[in-house]
Structures are given as structure tokens and as C-alpha cells.
Amino acid sequence: MERAAPLAVPLGQTEVFQALQRLHMTIFSQSVSPCGKFLAAGNNYGQIAIFSLSAALSSEAKEESKKPVVTFQAHDGPVYSMVSTDRHLLSAGDGEVKAWLWAEILKKGCKELWRRQPPYRTSLEVPEINALLLVPKENSLILAGGDCQLHTMDLETGTFTRALRGHTDYIHCLALRERSPEVLSGGEDGAVRLWDLRTVREVQTIEVYKHEECSRPHNGRWIGCLATDSDWMVCGGGPALTLWHLRSSTPTTIFPMRAPQKHVTFYQDLVLTVAGSSCRVDVFTNLGYRAFSLSF
């Protein structure tokens, strides 16, 4: 009697769903643990994955070392931004910021510690929070996003202490001038605004797109990324990526990059990780070579 040919068994619904998720995944945010050994990555499905950088960078690393050690559902919508304190991982999504204990996450006990929502104009308003920024000297957190304001939260009490208003469209990015209590913000309105946290006032505005050498009208006026190092700032987005001298509000170097930028930083001897419209986080041990990729 002839034996029947084996039937092809289709993938289960769970495997198909996971494959589709990875295909359409975008990684919006990343944050390194206080010990420097772990990386948190947040995606458009509201998930946070924790990767072991020490294991992935080891000379004995295997493919499994590049997979998450834990993944958990943090928000109902995308995880737009994350930062880490000495003990906590803070994550932001649509309208709220949540806190998680790093020690519990690494034990795979991902229980939300607290959540806070800034005082929006109406109870129906649920704007995305695109950027989180720690201000260590005053133990506070600054949140900014879709409501065009910068909200300051006291990390000790969880109360919101001030709101900085000036942007006319939603805010994409924040940066701290560490030598002085000043914060830079960039947004869809094409302006980089400098705020003095002592006087709670806007003290400088640079409308980048109005400078002919920076302007790229076909890309728009939005500022998607910025970073600062004392008297210097680099920013980009619709306008060209440009190095600015802040005191004189003068652009000094235009970087010849065609595509709009969404992330930028001043760096020295750092391991760089890059993520975007995929389920992967690329890891660079130097700028000329991608060492490997982490994957959800």
C-alpha cells in the first residue's frame, strides 16, 4: 500500500499575526538602562522590548542573544518616547507617561508603577507625547508633543508645575543645555525655541527655514531633531541638517544630506543604535560599520 504524501501544515494564526506585525513595525523610541547593559525599544504597537546589550556585544554572542529578553505591552498606542532615570524606565504614548521599575522589568515582572497625564485644555484632548527630557538638577521631567506645549513634571511628587507656550504646531524634539537651566524645543512650525527654566520664558527663537542656506521648501519647514553642546546646536528635518552657534544665532556648517533627519546627537566613543521603519535595531560599534541588528 502506497503511503500518502505528507500534507503541508499552514502556519498557525499566531505565527501569521506575529509575522504581519513585524512586517509593518516601526520602532519609535529607545532608552539604555542605568547600568548600560540593556536597551529598551518601543514600537508602534505599544510594545516595549528589552535587549541585553552585554550579551549581544559578547564575543560568544549567538542569534538568540539578539532577541528580546522580555517584551511587554506598555501602551494601547505607539510608544513615541522613552527615557531612563537611576531606577525607572519612563515611556510616553498618546496623552500619558508611564513609569516602570528597571529591576522588576529585568525580572520579567512588568507591572506599571504609575501613570500621569498633563493638564490638557479639554478632557477630550489626547495628543501624542513625542519627546521626554530629564532635567536632573531639578529632578523633573519635561514632556512635549501634540498640544504644542512643554509640560514640566516634578518626579518626586508627580505634579505638573509649569507649561511653556510658544510653538504654533506640534513639538517633535527636546534638548537640554546642561550648563544652564535652559531647554531647546523643535517642532512642526519650523522654529527652534530656547526656554529659560528659571524665568519660565522663551529667550531665543531660530526660524531655521527662513535661512536660505538651510531652507529646503520641498521637504517642509518642520524640525524633527536637535541636540546641543553648550554654545552649539545641531538640528534638522525639513531644512538641511545644520550646526548653529547659539549666541549669535548663526548657521556655521550645512551637512550635505538629502533625506530629512529625525535623530541627531553629539557623540564621543559611544555605541550607536539606529531604528526606524522595521522590527530591527541596528547596532554600530563605529560609524563605518554596522556590527549587527537586534530584532523584536
Side-chain angles (χ1 to χ4, degrees):
M1 184 176 178
E2 271 188 15
R3 301 179 70 180
L7 293 173
V9 179
L11 284 173
Q13 288 187 351
T14 300
E15 287 83 358
V16 171
F17 177 73
Q18 290 174 345
L20 287 172
Q21 267 201 332
R22 286 193 293 271
L23 182 64
H24 298 287
M25 188 177 293
T26 297
I27 297 175
F28 282 114
S29 54
Q30 301 178 62
S31 183
V32 177
S33 66
C35 65
K37 295 180 179 179
F38 297 91
L39 174 73
N43 67 21
N44 55 318
Y45 298 116
Q47 300 167 333
I48 294 177
I50 309 296
F51 299 92
S52 173
L53 288 176
S54 55
L57 290 165
S58 167
S59 59
E60 299 177 355
K62 301 176 181 178
E63 279 306 306
E64 282 303 307
S65 306
K66 300 165 190 174
K67 297 288 186 182
V69 294
V70 62
T71 302
F72 61 98
Q73 192 69 38
H75 295 264
D76 293 332
V79 185
Y80 290 115
S81 185
M82 290 192 292
V83 293
S84 290
T85 69
D86 290 342
R87 299 177 57 225
H88 302 117
L89 174 66
L90 306 179
S91 63
D94 288 323
E96 63 183 7
V97 59
K98 296 183 179 182
W100 318 82
L101 274 172
W102 267 108
E104 296 301 318
I105 293 174
L106 298 176
K107 292 176 185 175
K108 301 186 179 181
C110 307
K111 187 177 179 181
E112 175 189 316
L113 188 63
W114 51 255
R115 69 172 70 188
R116 298 288 186 274
Q117 186 179 77
Y120 297 124
R121 287 182 285 259
T122 71
S123 59
L124 298 177
E125 190 176 20
V126 189
E128 73 276 12
I129 298 173
N130 293 322
L132 297 176
L133 179 69
L134 292 171
V135 185
K137 287 184 179 179
E138 58 177 43
N139 193 29
S140 66
L141 175 71
I142 297 179
L143 306 77
D147 71 338
C148 315
Q149 302 179 62
L150 284 74
H151 299 274
T152 302
M153 188 184 82
D154 186 316
L155 284 171
E156 186 69 30
T157 63
T159 58
F160 287 90
T161 57
R162 60 186 169 226
L164 303 175
R165 301 177 180 90
H167 282 281
T168 58
D169 211 334
Y170 58 87
I171 300 166
H172 286 297
C173 47
L174 299 170
L176 177 68
R177 294 184 77 186
E178 294 186 7
R179 296 182 185 178
S180 58
E182 294 176 340
V183 169
L184 291 158
S185 59
E188 195 72 13
D189 58 6
V192 173
R193 302 178 189 274
L194 179 63
W195 309 86
D196 188 323
L197 296 180
R198 293 164 298 190
T199 61
V200 198
R201 292 185 179 215
E202 181 180 339
V203 294
Q204 187 177 359
T205 303
I206 300 174
E207 293 179 298
V208 179
Y209 66 96
K210 290 186 177 180
H211 292 255
E212 186 177 353
E213 61 269 51
C214 307
S215 179
R216 298 190 298 187
H218 58 286
N219 286 332
R221 61 173 63 178
W222 56 280
I223 300 297
C225 62
L226 62 85
T228 183
D229 183 12
S230 186
D231 290 333
W232 298 92
M233 172 190 75
V234 61
C235 67
L241 189 69
T242 307
L243 181 67
W244 292 76
H245 184 249
L246 281 174
R247 288 189 181 180
S248 61
S249 298
T250 304
T252 62
T253 306
I254 312 295
F255 298 97
M257 303 175 71
R258 292 184 180 180
Q261 292 73 49
K262 294 186 178 179
H263 297 282
V264 66
T265 186
F266 289 92
Y267 77 96
Q268 184 177 3
D269 298 329
L270 294 179
V271 172
L272 302 180
T273 63
V274 181
S277 298
S278 78
C279 61
R280 297 182 180 276
V281 180
D282 293 335
V283 179
F284 294 77
T285 51
N286 64 67
L287 285 179
Y289 174 70
R290 182 183 67 183
F292 56 86
S293 295
L294 306 171
S295 180
F296 262 80

